[in-house]
Amino acid sequence: MGARLSAAGNVGRWSRCCTGTAASTGDKGTAVKIGIIGAGNIGGALTRLFTKAGHQVAVANSRGPHTLADLAAETGATAVEAADAAQGADLVIVTIPQKHIPALPAGILDGAAEGATFVDTGNYYPRERDGAIDEIEAGALESEWVQRQLGKPVVKAFNNIGAASLFENGKPAGSPGRIALPISGDDAAAKAVVAGVIEEIGFDVVDVGPLSESWRQQPGTPGYGADFGAERLRVALGEAGRERTEAFRAQ
């Protein structure tokens, strides 16, 4: 692990679309156009947090925009068809059950802005939700599998915190007990964008390294769901084992 498990300040600022973060500067950064595909617990929490931070959010689910009228009215987000969620977006977050990833329409992310960043928040739950996905059972990493399905490079983020904690427990930078979230990915500039929005909504960031290291933040690892601060999270990531625990393997 070593130097790769660095704090968000070492990952970089908003290198593509933003000028600062509310959490670190006290001011809102430049508004970003964000597309969220999936409006479940995590997608709903992120919609609320990002609109509160002043960003332009388009949110979609599989049931159509009419089912998101309440969320749109509450937050000011725009409810759209799933095929339109990425249109013109600087940041696209895919937050749907792992088993539904292959069913997304081909090219669903192609309308994103040039140089857009893509985030996978997903986790593989073969016993309680997703059923067995053969490639993952054979050893493929969750987000590398997602990346291949989507045809876009992804940053893995927001996958190891519960929705309630994500929505309720963000704190200003430097606050005691501030939770840290891990991110992994192969593009440093994309990770800087993701780190920026995470810091803005009240969390520290620990960079796990490339996507090939993303197993350190998957379900069953010591830091998963633990709501650790940055230093403790680094330790937990270092203690993680590559082999998937029995509870998170298909029976």
Side-chain angles (χ1 to χ4, degrees), residues 28-34 48-57 200:
K28 289 183 178 179
T30 301
V32 182
K33 187 171 185 181
I34 300 174
R48 293 175 173 91
L49 291 167
F50 290 149
T51 53
K52 184 178 181 180
H55 300 303
Q56 180 182 349
V57 176
E200 185 177 30

Side-chain angles (χ1 to χ4, degrees), residues 170-228:
K171 297 181 179 182
S175 297
R178 196 178 201 226
I179 295 168
L181 304 183
I183 63 173
S184 54
D186 298 329
D187 185 322
K191 286 195 289 187
V193 171
V194 178
V197 296
I198 290 173
E199 289 179 332
E200 185 177 30
I201 61 174
F203 300 90
D204 289 331
V205 179
V206 173
D207 183 359
V208 178
L211 205 61
S212 61
E213 294 289 309
S214 63
W215 53 270
R216 296 185 182 276
Q217 66 193 86
Q218 290 179 172
T221 57
Y224 178 75
D227 287 356
F228 288 143

Side-chain angles (χ1 to χ4, degrees), residues 20-224:
T21 65
S24 60
T25 66
D27 299 315
K28 289 183 178 179
T30 301
V32 182
K33 187 171 185 181
I34 300 174
I36 300 178
I37 299 174
N41 292 334
I42 294 293
L46 291 175
T47 298
R48 293 175 173 91
L49 291 167
F50 290 149
T51 53
K52 184 178 181 180
H55 300 303
Q56 180 182 349
V57 176
V59 60
N61 65 9
S62 62
R63 296 176 295 148
H66 66 283
T67 66
L68 298 173
D70 289 345
L71 180 63
E74 175 192 342
T75 63
T78 301
V80 297
E81 297 286 350
D84 298 324
Q87 293 299 310
D90 301 299
L91 174 64
V92 182
I93 298 171
V94 179
T95 179
I96 64 175
Q98 207 98 65
K99 65 181 178 180
H100 294 321
I101 292 288
L104 289 172
I108 191 171
L109 305 181
D110 290 349
E114 183 177 357
T117 294
F118 303 95
V119 173
D120 169 38
T121 78
N123 291 308
Y124 175 50
Y125 301 122
R127 296 190 182 186
E128 62 187 74
R129 186 189 66 191
D130 296 315
I133 297 174
D134 290 343
E135 289 180 65
I136 297 177
E137 288 297 315
L141 296 181
E142 296 172 9
S143 286
E144 288 187 335
W145 179 83
V146 170
Q147 181 170 260
R148 288 194 293 273
Q149 302 300 311
L150 296 178
K152 299 289 185 182
V154 302
V155 176
K156 188 177 186 73
F158 301 112
N159 74 295
N160 78 323
I161 185 170
S165 187
L166 177 65
F167 182 61
E168 298 170 0
N169 291 334
K171 297 181 179 182
S175 297
R178 196 178 201 226
I179 295 168
L181 304 183
I183 63 173
S184 54
D186 298 329
D187 185 322
K191 286 195 289 187
V193 171
V194 178
V197 296
I198 290 173
E199 289 179 332
E200 185 177 30
I201 61 174
F203 300 90
D204 289 331
V205 179
V206 173
D207 183 359
V208 178
L211 205 61
S212 61
E213 294 289 309
S214 63
W215 53 270
R216 296 185 182 276
Q217 66 193 86
Q218 290 179 172
T221 57
Y224 178 75

